[in-house]
Amino acid sequence: LHENVIDLLAKNKSKQNEEATKGYFEYSQALWKELTSKVPNIENFNVRVFMQDEFAVYRPISLFLCPLYHRQISSPSLALRFVSLFEYEGAKLIKKDFLPSFTFGLLDGVKSRKFAAFFLCSCLLGFNLDAYVVCGLSSEGEHFWVLTLSQNGSKIEGHFWEPIKGMKIPLGDPKVHYLYRKIGMLISPGALHINLNSESVAAKTSFDFSKKT
């Protein structure tokens, strides 16, 4: 292609990104206004509706999840082991405030904790597990990890998956009390589940989605 054509295509792409960012920003403002009208103290919850990608374009956070499957990652436990081997940002360092695509994120030398949670959750979705990214608080501040749920008769059972430490923890395990403090929301492909409990304590949170809280 001629240099002028390439330059024109680049400008058009940049304009499309700017328009998309503006549109998502306006929509997020309207959505946040609706949420605050229904939940006056929602600022106290860990809720993320949109997130920037590596191109600084705002996207609905649920779109960063998709089922992944790779023949070299042959089981959910191996996916957890693989993610735990990533090199991560230090807990006290300024964290990357964007969520890259999986291709970009895997090529990046140092991974963010939220990237690890989204990548692990997508791998678990690829194994047909009912998996969610959890946005909440740990003792170190904002934290992202993974939840899987299963139905055992009328009882809901599940596990927390901690990408950083490579741990799979049953919901009733005492470790939940000191690893996780609060749950603000669950993220799944195309859906958000906001925790409206007044305390939102992780160990006391119900995952029965038939209940409004």
Side-chain angles (χ1 to χ4, degrees):
L1 293 177
H2 193 275
E3 182 178 347
N4 291 338
V5 175
I6 296 175
D7 185 53
L8 179 61
L9 290 173
K11 288 181 179 179
N12 288 339
K13 182 63 176 178
S14 176
K15 183 178 180 180
Q16 290 174 2
N17 288 341
E18 290 176 1
E19 291 174 349
T21 301
K22 181 180 179 182
Y24 281 138
F25 181 73
E26 292 174 348
Y27 176 71
S28 65
Q29 282 187 316
L31 181 59
W32 189 255
K33 184 177 180 180
E34 181 182 353
L35 288 173
T36 53
S37 67
K38 294 180 179 179
V39 189
N41 61 338
I42 197 171
E43 291 84 0
N44 298 328
F45 298 89
N46 290 83
V47 175
R48 295 284 195 100
V49 178
F50 288 80
M51 184 72 72
Q52 282 184 310
D53 62 15
E54 65 266 33
F55 300 108
V57 176
Y58 281 94
R59 299 171 57 196
I61 196 167
S62 61
L63 294 184
F64 287 90
L65 282 174
C66 64
L68 291 178
Y69 182 74
H70 194 285
R71 62 181 181 178
Q72 293 181 343
I73 302 177
S74 57
S75 69
S77 59
L78 190 57
L80 177 62
R81 172 63 176 163
F82 175 70
V83 173
S84 71
L85 296 176
F86 290 165
E87 180 183 357
Y88 292 104
E89 302 163 320
K92 303 301 181 183
L93 298 179
I94 297 176
K95 298 176 176 62
K96 300 173 183 177
D97 198 23
F98 69 94
L99 189 55
S101 64
F102 294 140
T103 301
F104 184 93
L106 289 172
L107 292 174
D108 195 3
V110 180
K111 313 293 188 292
S112 71
R113 299 180 176 209
K114 54 179 167 283
F115 172 81
F118 276 80
F119 183 80
L120 175 59
C121 185
S122 293
C123 289
L124 298 181
L125 288 169
F127 289 104
N128 296 318
L129 296 182
D130 186 18
Y132 306 81
V133 170
V134 185
C135 178
L137 290 177
S138 70
S139 59
E140 298 173 346
E142 185 181 50
H143 190 55
F144 294 81
W145 66 100
V146 179
L147 166 72
T148 55
L149 297 174
S150 59
Q151 194 80 28
N152 184 5
S154 60
K155 184 180 179 182
I156 297 176
E157 299 179 343
H159 293 81
F160 286 136
W161 302 62
E162 175 51 53
I164 310 298
K165 298 180 174 66
M167 300 169 62
K168 180 183 177 183
I169 311 161
L171 293 183
D173 194 298
K175 294 186 183 73
V176 174
H177 291 272
Y178 69 81
L179 282 175
Y180 310 117
R181 291 185 174 177
K182 293 187 177 183
I183 291 177
M185 65 185 296
L186 303 180
I187 307 163
S188 62
L192 303 177
H193 305 275
I194 300 174
N195 186 3
L196 300 181
N197 289 306
S198 57
E199 294 182 354
S200 65
V201 176
K204 297 181 180 179
T205 298
S206 170
F207 299 105
D208 185 351
F209 297 144
S210 64
K211 298 179 181 180
K212 292 184 178 181
T213 55

